[in-house]
Amino acid sequence: GLNSHAEIYVDQYFPPEPGLELQARGRLKGVALAHYSRAVAFEQQKNLDGALRELSEVLRLMPENVDLALRVAHLLAATGKKKEGRTVLEQALKIRPQSFQALIGFSDYLWTYHAENRLDRERALALAEEALEKFPDDAVVYDHLIRLYPIGRQVEKAKSAINTALQRSSPDPFFWLEIARIAQGVWPLKTSEGQEPVLLNNIYQKV
């Protein structure tokens, strides 16, 4: 029958057709995906050390992936390795200096895990302001920056950031909806009885 015997040739190799061979980039992605799949399994098992080990390997293979760097950094912080997480994000920003995710992510990390240090707080603000300077048409940068300003008792700077947004000419209605939402956290809708929320009305007119 078909299973009565087998012929095994251990000294021969039959390569696939050239069109089926993985190129270098494809092989790298395949290995990275394998590590990532294991990381997801470890996370589901609440095994943070295992997940961190696998995700760190993915990041080694794909160091330009800022989202992955953020994930690794926060996992490091969750396992008590805040300084190592900081190093990961410093490297991510060095590789992708024009990424607003790298700027905001590093700023948020410093503010979250190193807020007790005055110099780190100042750097977190500086990174957020740099993100605004580089990406003034992205509402996310305003949201992040203004969340930091009131905490630092710099409400006037928060208002200045909103005024910067109002000078933009973005045709995206969702940009203005986000700016209106952010502005409501800086200015009350009404500061005295009967006063119209002129600023917010102007923003919604842009929408």
Side-chain angles (χ1 to χ4, degrees):
L2 293 177
N3 298 317
S4 62
H5 68 281
E7 294 180 277
I8 302 174
Y9 304 93
V10 297
D11 59 341
Q12 296 185 57
Y13 170 65
F14 301 95
E17 294 293 328
L20 297 177
E21 288 191 42
L22 287 173
Q23 300 301 311
R25 186 65 180 171
R27 286 196 296 271
L28 184 146
K29 285 185 176 181
V31 173
L33 181 58
H35 283 290
Y36 186 82
S37 298
R38 285 196 287 269
V40 171
F42 279 130
E43 283 187 311
Q44 292 173 345
Q45 298 165 12
K46 309 299 182 184
N47 184 343
L48 294 186
D49 289 332
L52 180 57
R53 182 176 62 252
E54 297 298 332
L55 287 175
S56 295
E57 182 61 19
V58 181
L59 185 61
R60 186 187 69 80
L61 295 169
M62 309 182 77
E64 74 285 355
N65 191 316
V66 175
D67 289 336
L68 183 60
L70 288 167
R71 191 168 174 182
V72 168
H74 284 283
L75 267 177
L76 283 165
T79 56
K81 300 175 182 177
K82 296 178 183 179
K83 290 183 179 179
E84 289 86 342
R86 175 182 183 144
T87 300
V88 167
L89 294 184
E90 284 178 332
Q91 182 64 18
L93 183 58
K94 185 177 181 180
I95 295 172
R96 298 284 303 279
Q98 297 303 317
S99 165
F100 83 87
Q101 292 97 334
L103 285 165
I104 293 177
F106 190 19
S107 172
D108 181 66
Y109 186 89
L110 289 174
W111 198 265
T112 301
Y113 298 111
H114 297 275
E116 71 283 355
N117 185 294
R118 178 181 59 82
L119 293 178
D120 286 335
R121 291 197 305 273
E122 290 176 355
R123 189 176 185 191
L125 279 170
L127 288 167
E129 289 171 343
E130 182 182 347
L132 176 58
E133 182 180 343
K134 290 182 175 179
F135 307 100
D137 289 317
D138 197 315
V140 173
V141 300
Y142 295 93
D143 189 33
H144 174 69
L145 178 61
I146 289 174
R147 282 193 297 109
L148 302 189
Y149 275 148
I151 297 173
R153 296 183 175 83
Q154 300 184 65
V155 176
E156 289 306 313
K157 286 191 175 183
K159 292 180 179 180
S160 176
I162 291 293
N163 285 326
T164 298
L166 294 176
Q167 304 308 311
R168 308 307 301 168
S169 56
S170 174
D172 182 3
F174 295 103
F175 171 81
W176 295 111
L177 286 172
E178 277 297 293
I179 295 301
R181 180 187 65 78
I182 296 165
Q184 289 183 44
V186 180
W187 286 282
L189 288 175
K190 296 182 180 180
T191 56
S192 62
E193 186 176 355
Q195 183 176 349
E196 292 296 326
V198 177
L199 174 72
L200 290 174
N201 285 345
N202 289 339
I203 296 176
Y204 283 120
Q205 284 176 2
K206 289 178 180 290
V207 177

